[in-house]
Amino acid sequence: MRILIAGACGMLGRDLVEVLSEGQELYLLDVERFPPSLSSQFSTLTLDITDSEKTYREVTKINPDIVIHVAAYTDVDGSETNRDLAFRANALGTRNIALACQRFDTALLYISTDFVFDGEKGEPYVEFDRPEPQSIYAKSKYWGELYIESLLNRFYIVRSSWLFGKSGKNFVTTILNLAKEKKKLEVVTDQIGSPTYTKDLARAIAQLIGARGKDFSTGASVYGIWHITNSGQCSWYEFAAQILQDSDVHLKPITSEELDRPARRPKFSVLDNYIWRLQGWKPLRHWKEALKDYLKEIGEQ
Ligand SMILES: NC(=O)c1ccc[n+]([C@@H]2O[C@H](COP(=O)([O-])OP(=O)(O)OC[C@H]3O[C@@H](n4cnc5c(N)ncnc54)[C@H](OP(=O)(O)O)[C@@H]3O)[C@@H](O)[C@H]2O)c1
C-alpha cells in the first residue's frame, strides 16, 4: 500500500510513521524541513497544505492509495487570536487535500477532535451525535470534516482526544516539567475526557485502514466517522494526579472559570468508541496502562 502521511513530523505523525513503516510504501509530508532520521529512510515532501495548487499537484503526483492527514494548526488558545491561521490550515488545508484525493478517488483518513462537541450531553458522545463546536480551533477542525464529507466518498474521519506521545509537547510533559520547578500546581477538575496515547491511536488507525494483513481494497465497509480513544475517562486534575503519583507535588483542584483560558473547552467530551465496538473490535486499553508505557518510553519511570 502506498501511504502519504501529511503532518508526519508532528506528535501523532511520528508514531504513525513508526507503526506503518513495515511493509508499506510511505511518503511523508510536512510544512517543516525533515530531520535526517526521516529523510534518509523515506520519500519526503516539504509542503504547506494551505497552498492549494501545490498541494493538488504534489499529492496527485504521488498518487497514493490513501492519505493519512494529521497536519493541523493545533494551538487551541492561539486559534482564538489567529483565527485566519486556524481556518486556513485546518479547514482550507483539509479541503485542499480532499480535492487532490478526489482526482483519483484516493481514500483519505482525517484526524478530528472531541472538541467538535459542546460537552453538554453529560454522557459519552457517539459518532451519531451532532457536533456543536465552541471554539475557533474546534470550528476549523469541524469544517475540515464537512469539506471531506462533501467532496469524497472514500473517507475515514477519526475523532480522538487528549493526545500524548513521545514526539510532541503535551499535557504529560507540561505537568512533569512544571513539577520540576514548583511544589504546588493548580489543575482543572471540571473538564472530563479520555487521554489517548498516540502509539495506541496509530496502531488503531493501522487496523482501521487494513494495513495490518487485511486486504485494503475491502476497506469500503469501514469508511465513515469513528471515535478512537484509550478506554476510561478522567478530569485533567485526575490525569495530573496519575502522572505525579510518586511525587510530593501538591495538586490544587480549580475550575475552568478560575483558569480563564481564551478558548472555551467542552466540560465533558468523552468519546464513546461506539462504531469500533459495533464492529466487534477489542477496545483500546485503559489510559492509565497507556500512560505507564509512555512514562517508561520517555524515561520517567
Ligand atoms: N493534540 C491533541 O490533544 C489532539 C486531540 C484531538 C485531535 N487532534 C488532532 O490530531 C492531529 C495530530 O495532532 P498532534 O498533536 O500530533 O499535532 P502536531 O504535533 O502539532 O502535528 C501537526 C503537524 O502538522 C504540521 N503542520 C501544521 N500546519 C501545516 C501546514 N499548513 N502544512 C503542512 N503541515 C502543517 C505541523 O508543523 P508545525 O509544528 O511546524 O506547525 C506538525 O508537524 C491534528 O489534526 C489535531 O487536530 C489532536
Side-chain angles (χ1 to χ4, degrees):
M1 194 187 327
R2 182 181 296 184
I3 302 175
L4 171 64
I5 302 175
C9 293
M11 183 165 69
L12 176 58
R14 290 290 201 112
D15 278 336
L16 280 165
V17 173
E18 225 170 278
V19 167
L20 294 169
S21 58
E22 250 174 66
Q24 316 293 342
E25 189 184 350
L26 291 192
Y27 287 77
L28 313 185
L29 178 163
D30 207 287
V31 71
E32 295 176 17
R33 285 178 72 82
F34 284 84
S37 59
L38 291 179
S39 56
S40 61
Q41 282 189 72
F42 303 102
S43 306
T44 58
L45 173 63
T46 298
L47 170 78
D48 185 336
I49 59 166
T50 65
D51 183 335
S52 54
E53 279 174 32
K54 202 166 167 201
T55 301
Y56 188 83
R57 194 172 60 239
E58 297 298 332
V59 173
T60 53
K61 205 193 286 172
I62 294 169
N63 190 12
D65 296 305
I66 182 166
V67 176
I68 300 182
H69 169 35
V70 300
Y73 175 65
T74 52
D75 184 343
V76 178
D77 288 318
S79 297
E80 296 297 310
T81 35
N82 299 311
R83 187 192 173 94
D84 295 357
L85 202 60
F87 279 112
R88 201 174 278 134
N90 300 343
L92 300 182
T94 300
R95 178 206 61 185
N96 295 341
I97 290 190
L99 284 169
C101 288
Q102 205 182 38
R103 179 163 184 203
F104 298 122
D105 200 21
T106 301
L108 174 59
L109 185 146
Y110 170 66
I111 301 290
S112 189
T113 165
D114 55 326
F115 283 13
V116 298
F117 296 112
D118 65 9
E120 298 300 324
K121 187 183 173 193
E123 58 183 273
Y125 285 93
V126 297
E127 292 84 347
F128 303 109
D129 285 321
R130 187 185 297 281
E132 200 67 60
Q134 299 295 304
S135 64
I136 299 294
Y137 167 75
K139 284 179 186 159
S140 69
K141 291 293 294 182
Y142 182 50
W143 268 94
E145 292 190 12
L146 296 179
Y147 275 124
I148 288 172
E149 285 175 359
S150 58
L151 291 168
L152 300 176
N153 295 317
R154 306 203 310 136
F155 64 82
Y156 310 81
I157 291 170
V158 174
R159 299 193 188 119
S160 193
S161 61
W162 296 26
L163 298 186
F164 59 93
K166 71 169 186 292
S167 308
K169 196 171 156 273
N170 58 70
F171 183 75
V172 184
T173 50
T174 302
I175 290 292
L176 289 171
N177 289 336
L178 285 173
K180 282 173 192 146
E181 295 159 14
K182 297 180 176 182
K183 280 271 152 267
K184 191 174 138 194
L185 299 179
E186 297 183 333
V187 190
V188 165
T189 49
D190 59 355
Q191 288 169 33
I192 313 283
S194 298
T196 300
Y197 188 18
T198 48
K199 213 176 217 174
D200 290 353
L201 179 58
R203 289 187 188 123
I205 288 170
Q207 177 174 339
L208 186 61
I209 64 171
R212 297 180 133 194
K214 276 194 290 159
D215 177 7
F216 172 65
S217 61
T218 61
S221 59
V222 293
Y223 290 137
I225 299 178
W226 292 78
H227 289 175
I228 307 183
T229 61
N230 278 121
S231 301
Q233 64 182 57
C234 61
S235 65
W236 290 113
Y237 175 83
E238 290 163 328
F239 191 13
Q242 190 68 27
I243 296 162
L244 298 177
Q245 60 175 335
D246 297 325
S247 104
D248 55 2
V249 172
H250 175 68
L251 285 181
K252 181 176 178 243
I254 56 164
T255 62
S256 310
E257 211 177 342
E258 285 172 280
L259 186 63
D260 195 24
R261 303 278 288 277
R264 251 179 90 185
R265 288 162 169 81
K267 291 250 180 281
F268 184 93
S269 59
V270 176
L271 299 175
D272 185 352
N273 294 197
Y274 186 48
I275 297 188
W276 190 270
R277 282 193 288 116
L278 291 184
Q279 193 77 16
W281 290 344
K282 192 172 165 240
L284 274 64
R285 61 183 165 165
H286 198 280
W287 66 265
K288 284 186 185 173
E289 262 180 74
L291 175 66
K292 214 185 276 175
D293 274 1
Y294 171 63
L295 291 174
K296 259 189 228 144
E297 188 184 21
I298 60 170
E300 291 283 345
Q301 227 176 46

